[in-house]
Amino acid sequence: MAKAAGVVRLLLGFTALWLSLLGARTASASKAVTAHLAAKWPETPLLLEASEFIAEESNEKFWQFLETVQELAIYKQTESDYSYNNLILKKAGQFLDNLHINLLKFAFSIRAYSPTIQMFQQIAADEPPPDGCAAFVVIHKKYTCKINEIKKLLKKAASRPRPYLFKGDHKFPTDKENLPVIILYAEMGTRAFRKFHTVLSEKAQNGEILYVLRHYIQKPSSQKMYLSGYGVELAIKSTEYKALDDTQVKTVANITAGDVTETNEVQGFLFGKLKS
């Protein structure tokens, strides 16, 4: 029994030693520095980024893509992020070839179009949006988030100044430009967007309005927007003060100055003696 107990203690000792070494190795491995670069704005939906990618290809393809994803954001609540992203790529594949799909995947990885979405979000914040509205329209300086008020606001729209349109605004394809302008602020793929889009697209097709879409996210994500493709440098400087003996430093400095004076010779001329 004593021998068995000794063997058990020996095994326990080796086990404790092995665990301590393993812990030391893990601690040493965890000393690496990991840096993340986060933007000042929150994470933006990939569906909106995909629409901006398609908009660069063609304005007509942008609106065709929009028709196929009117309520696509509903699946985000039931599907995993991986499945939802694949669904977006599948929808985009109806209007893009394989080469552009690969470029879209790369744009997703570096979040190339996230700043564009944030730009529209900032424009919407400057309006500002009405309280409690998931989507709203601006009709020549008049705001509403109720569809039944659009007809009333259109009646006197011509007497109010036209809004300024930016280069990146998404205009519904139409042959006429001198029409009342309705700007829709909404998040593509949501039910609130679909309700407004159905009414506004019909009016635009009938030549009644100039329909403009700007991205607007009522409840931005709580996650940070991490950016890739940037280098980070970590410079560490020691701020510890070291004690030195000033008397020794002055003595060494005096001796060095004296040696320089005595050996102040240039090609045989002793300038020290000439000065004296």
Side-chain angles (χ1 to χ4, degrees):
M1 293 293 292
K3 290 183 178 180
V7 172
V8 171
R9 282 195 293 269
L10 184 61
L11 290 175
L12 290 175
F14 278 120
T15 304
L17 178 61
W18 180 77
L19 290 174
S20 63
L21 292 175
L22 181 62
R25 178 179 295 181
T26 305
S28 62
S30 63
K31 290 182 179 179
V33 177
T34 304
H36 297 283
L37 183 62
K40 292 185 177 180
W41 62 87
E43 187 178 16
T44 52
L46 289 179
L47 178 60
L48 306 188
E49 295 182 28
S51 70
E52 288 299 321
F53 179 88
I54 296 176
E56 285 193 351
E57 296 297 317
S58 168
N59 183 54
E60 189 173 331
K61 287 183 178 181
F62 169 84
W63 290 99
Q64 292 173 354
F65 173 73
L66 184 147
E67 290 291 339
T68 63
V69 298
Q70 290 191 39
E71 290 192 20
L72 194 69
I74 299 175
Y75 295 98
K76 191 175 183 180
Q77 302 174 359
T78 58
E79 301 288 338
S80 64
D81 291 342
Y82 179 79
S83 300
Y84 182 66
N85 294 345
N86 285 337
L87 182 59
I88 295 175
L89 293 173
K90 184 178 179 181
K91 293 291 185 180
Q94 300 177 21
F95 310 100
L96 301 173
D97 54 24
N98 292 332
L99 175 60
H100 286 84
I101 286 294
N102 291 330
L103 291 175
L104 177 58
K105 292 179 181 179
F106 178 70
F108 280 172
S109 65
I110 63 175
R111 310 310 296 265
Y113 293 91
S114 181
T116 305
I117 306 303
Q118 178 60 22
M119 177 195 70
F120 284 112
Q121 187 76 359
Q122 187 61 46
I123 294 174
D126 293 340
E127 287 291 354
D131 295 334
C133 295
F136 66 98
V137 293
V138 180
I139 307 175
H140 293 221
K141 302 295 183 179
K142 295 293 183 178
Y143 307 83
T144 183
C145 54
K146 297 179 180 179
I147 297 177
N148 55 10
E149 293 183 357
I150 293 178
K151 186 176 181 180
K152 181 179 67 174
L153 295 177
L154 276 175
K155 289 182 179 180
K156 297 182 179 180
S159 61
R160 299 190 297 271
R162 289 170 61 89
Y164 179 82
L165 299 181
F166 299 96
K167 183 179 179 180
D169 282 330
H170 304 294
K171 301 178 184 178
F172 192 88
T174 180
D175 296 332
K176 301 178 181 179
E177 291 289 336
N178 191 20
L179 295 171
V181 181
I182 297 183
I183 303 177
L184 172 61
Y185 291 89
E187 181 180 354
M188 183 186 304
T190 60
R191 290 179 179 177
F193 163 78
R194 182 187 62 80
K195 293 178 181 180
F196 274 100
H197 173 71
T198 302
V199 175
L200 297 180
S201 59
E202 182 179 354
K203 289 183 177 295
Q205 289 173 355
N206 295 335
E208 299 177 21
I209 63 169
L210 179 61
Y211 172 24
V212 178
L213 173 63
R214 291 175 181 173
H215 302 296
Y216 166 66
I217 307 168
Q218 182 190 19
K219 297 180 180 179
S221 173
S222 58
Q223 299 180 0
K224 294 182 179 180
M225 182 71 238
Y226 290 105
L227 305 177
S228 60
Y230 296 86
V232 179
E233 179 185 2
L234 180 62
I236 301 177
K237 182 180 179 181
S238 176
T239 58
E240 296 181 358
Y241 293 95
K242 298 179 181 179
L244 296 176
D245 191 350
D246 294 341
T247 57
Q248 295 182 1
V249 175
K250 291 180 179 179
T251 304
V252 173
N254 293 334
I255 295 174
T256 305
D259 294 341
V260 172
T261 304
E262 292 179 0
T263 59
N264 194 6
E265 178 181 350
V266 178
Q267 294 184 356
F269 292 95
L270 299 175
F271 287 94
K273 291 185 178 181
L274 291 176
K275 290 178 182 179
S276 58

